[in-house]
Amino acid sequence: MAQNSHIDEKKLLLELSQGSELAFTNMYNNYKNIVYGTALKITKSKILAEEAVQDIFLKIWQNRENLAEISSFENYIFIISRNHLFNSIKKIARETNLISEFDQKETAVIDTDMNIKDEQYNTILNQIVEQLPPQQQKVYQMAKRDGLSHQKIGEDLGISTETVKKHMAQALKFIRLKISPYMNMFMSLLLFFNI
């Protein structure tokens, strides 16, 4: 019986190599479940396994002229299936890697953009601070840039803590007024990048 099935397979391969669609359909029906089972085991995906079966049998049809010389179709289809599946996995891995590289580049672009926005904001803020009266400017910078308390600023400048608070309040009011036209732009960017 085994001998007969081997002869039948040789006959099918010969007919298939000559372009017989019936022989191809018979081969497909005999081996599609084996190929599908192997593909499913490797890809862990029914969709990818089904695609693999179609691709592998398409490859067999395209190379049908060489099939007459094959001694074992089972070994042949196993090798073709294995190569195809490993190539598919490598391709998926490459694509996944490209996607994660793209995500990293995208994040880097956003970070760079945020840094540019920070720089622009700081430039605008510094220009506004420079417009403050000298004493307010000094108080603001000592508080914001140097992180000094109102009491320490008062001691350093020889003025009362109350005067420091007054200068600070006036400086902040002036800065808020001057920077408000720019804030919509910066806030919308911050909201956009924090989503």
Side-chain angles (χ1 to χ4, degrees):
M1 184 65 192
Q3 188 64 32
N4 279 349
S5 66
H6 182 70
I7 290 165
D8 288 347
E9 191 172 273
K10 282 300 269 180
K11 187 167 168 273
L12 269 180
L13 286 172
L14 182 63
E15 288 169 8
L16 182 50
S17 71
Q18 292 163 351
S20 164
E21 286 180 23
L22 182 63
F24 178 76
T25 304
N26 284 334
M27 279 298 192
Y28 177 80
N29 290 334
N30 288 346
Y31 287 97
K32 68 177 178 189
N33 291 338
I34 297 168
V35 174
Y36 177 80
T38 308
L40 187 61
K41 221 181 285 180
I42 292 172
T43 62
K44 311 273 190 288
S45 158
K46 287 182 177 180
I47 294 167
L48 290 177
E50 282 165 13
E51 281 178 13
V53 170
Q54 300 305 319
D55 292 344
I56 289 160
F57 277 97
L58 177 65
K59 214 172 267 183
I60 288 166
W61 178 254
Q62 288 168 340
N63 297 322
R64 61 188 177 276
E65 289 88 2
N66 308 321
L67 294 176
E69 290 103 55
I70 288 163
S71 57
S72 167
F73 187 73
E74 202 169 332
N75 288 347
Y76 176 77
I77 200 163
F78 171 76
I79 291 163
I80 283 192
S81 301
R82 187 192 59 191
N83 292 346
H84 175 80
L85 290 163
F86 286 141
N87 286 338
S88 297
I89 288 165
K90 271 194 269 185
K91 187 174 173 234
I92 291 165
R94 248 199 325 273
E95 284 167 4
T96 310
N97 195 28
L98 284 174
I99 289 165
S100 73
E101 270 180 38
F102 175 75
D103 287 347
Q104 286 167 2
K105 282 180 184 152
E106 194 73 359
T107 307
V109 167
I110 290 170
D111 288 348
T112 305
D113 217 24
M114 285 302 290
N115 288 340
I116 290 166
K117 298 297 172 271
D118 283 350
E119 281 172 31
Q120 288 173 345
Y121 176 79
N122 288 332
T123 304
I124 291 164
L125 182 61
N126 290 336
Q127 287 168 355
I128 293 167
V129 170
E130 282 167 18
Q131 294 170 35
L132 290 168
Q135 194 74 336
Q136 280 181 27
Q137 192 179 127
K138 207 174 284 181
V139 167
Y140 177 85
Q141 285 178 331
M142 288 171 86
K144 292 292 183 183
R145 189 188 57 204
D146 305 333
L148 302 177
S149 68
H150 290 171
Q151 191 182 339
K152 180 80 174 97
I153 294 166
E155 286 169 15
D156 287 0
L157 296 178
I159 54 175
S160 72
T161 308
E162 279 309 306
T163 308
V164 171
K165 283 181 185 170
K166 198 169 81 177
H167 281 315
M168 197 63 191
Q170 288 170 335
L172 288 171
K173 188 178 171 187
F174 178 79
I175 289 166
R176 266 198 292 272
L177 181 74
K178 288 286 189 178
I179 210 161
S180 65
Y182 301 100
M183 284 317 289
N184 287 340
M185 178 179 80
F186 287 112
M187 286 316 292
S188 63
L189 282 160
L190 286 170
L191 289 170
F192 174 75
F193 286 121
N194 285 334
I195 287 168

